[in-house]
Amino acid sequence: MSFFLTPVLIAVICVLIGWIFKSESKKADNEVKTKPEHRPWVDEDLKDSTELHQIEDEDESHELDESVEHIPFSSPRYPENEMIKRSQEFYELLNQRRSVRFISNEPVPRQVIDNVIKTAGTAPSGAHTEPWSFVVVQDEEVKHRIRMIVEEEEEVNYKKRMGDKWVNDLKKLKTNWIKEYLDTAPFLILIFKKVYGITSSGRRKTHYYNEISVSIACGFLLAALQNAGLVTVTTTPLNCGPRLRTLLDRPDNEKLLMLLPVGYPSKDSTVPDLKRKPLEEIMVVV
């Protein structure tokens, strides 16, 4: 039996082929549109779903103390002129804060570090879970091992992960993957967020808004360091969390949020001449 391609049949085949290609093209376009946006500044290790899903065990509520005593509270109340003076002086103190990458190896009293950590621990937190750990490193060998881990990952970040735009945005700050201050600073403070807690019976407990809570504590810590006359630079070592967590023997429920080298500025320290936005650009009054 012979099979002949008539003009009509050829036309039908062409239409079918065209429809198939068009369908595949639309499918590819949809896949591109639904592909997650590439955000190299998001540390994969910091991602968790505790803000969306409660993770406590069913009987955790039986372990909670629902009879917390409420006590009278009062705070100092200053005359208006003193309030204005104190608020202005505090602003002027914090307005002197700069991110300093040239830190002296001059010793810092350990008690000062204890006090600024205690200050950070006064920060508010979701349901008063206090989901933070502040790891203070003063051992020279451990500091150097931290530097090696950070610089190894940061070189990859600058050359591959971050992308040209991010690297170009940092050029005016003259930063790179070399972090000498991790060796020279007398103290390194690594701030970990606890994505969940552990009850006395070993069950998991939800830590609500853990990253926001720890970020607020970091703000308290920065203010306390400035008040003590010390300097630091806020660093977020991208993709270093798991290795640093292992090095410092931290549990799996802790994720590295920030690393602060702490000390005095070196004699030859410099900072970029940056300007802060004026009040009218950052405050809206309704």
Side-chain angles (χ1 to χ4, degrees), residues 171-182:
K171 280 184 178 179
K172 62 184 178 183
L173 304 179
K174 297 182 179 179
T175 66
N176 55 39
W177 58 85
I178 305 300
K179 313 293 183 185
E180 184 178 352
Y181 51 72
L182 295 177

Side-chain angles (χ1 to χ4, degrees), residues 46-255:
L46 282 174
K47 292 181 178 179
D48 67 83
S49 59
T50 55
E51 309 299 353
L52 300 177
H53 306 288
Q54 296 186 15
I55 58 175
E56 72 261 28
D57 294 290
E58 292 181 359
D59 62 346
E60 180 198 0
S61 59
H62 298 299
E63 299 188 25
L64 300 179
D65 183 4
E66 297 181 355
S67 60
V68 176
E69 182 183 2
H70 284 227
I71 59 177
F73 172 79
S74 64
S75 64
R77 183 161 181 169
Y78 306 106
E80 185 174 318
N81 60 340
E82 186 176 353
M83 289 175 62
I84 295 172
K85 179 175 179 291
R86 290 170 64 93
S87 63
Q88 178 66 25
E89 289 175 347
F90 189 68
Y91 158 70
E92 291 173 357
L93 171 66
L94 292 191
N95 193 37
Q96 297 171 30
R97 188 208 59 78
R98 297 302 306 270
S99 294
V100 178
R101 294 173 172 83
F102 303 95
I103 300 178
S104 167
N105 61 2
E106 183 181 353
V108 170
R110 168 62 188 279
Q111 188 175 353
V112 175
I113 301 301
D114 292 351
N115 287 338
V116 297
I117 297 295
K118 286 192 294 184
T119 301
T122 68
S125 59
H128 193 58
T129 52
E130 301 175 296
W132 43 63
S133 288
F134 300 89
V135 178
V136 176
V137 179
Q138 58 185 358
D139 182 271
E140 297 296 329
E141 181 181 347
V142 177
K143 286 195 298 179
H144 188 67
R145 291 174 67 185
I146 289 174
R147 179 182 178 181
M148 293 297 98
I149 291 173
V150 171
E151 288 187 346
E152 180 182 330
E153 291 291 341
E154 282 286 79
E155 184 173 7
V156 178
N157 292 336
Y158 272 81
K159 291 183 176 180
K160 295 181 180 179
R161 298 186 183 118
M162 290 162 56
D164 293 339
K165 185 179 184 305
W166 190 357
V167 173
N168 287 334
D169 286 343
L170 292 173
K171 280 184 178 179
K172 62 184 178 183
L173 304 179
K174 297 182 179 179
T175 66
N176 55 39
W177 58 85
I178 305 300
K179 313 293 183 185
E180 184 178 352
Y181 51 72
L182 295 177
D183 268 328
T184 61
F187 291 101
L188 304 181
I189 302 177
L190 292 89
I191 302 99
F192 289 83
K193 70 169 187 175
K194 296 181 178 180
V195 296
Y196 58 85
I198 305 294
T199 67
S200 58
S201 63
R203 300 178 183 277
R204 290 188 178 191
K205 174 184 177 182
T206 300
H207 279 172
Y208 306 96
Y209 302 106
N210 55 74
E211 186 161 324
I212 294 175
S213 299
V214 180
S215 298
I216 295 171
C218 289
F220 277 40
L221 179 56
L222 293 173
L225 290 170
Q226 179 69 15
N227 182 63
L230 298 175
V231 299
T232 186
V233 55
T234 53
T235 69
T236 51
L238 192 64
N239 297 303
C240 296
R243 294 171 66 185
L244 293 179
R245 183 168 60 237
T246 299
L247 173 65
L248 299 172
D249 196 27
R250 303 312 303 160
D252 290 340
N253 66 323
E254 294 191 5
K255 309 272 188 161

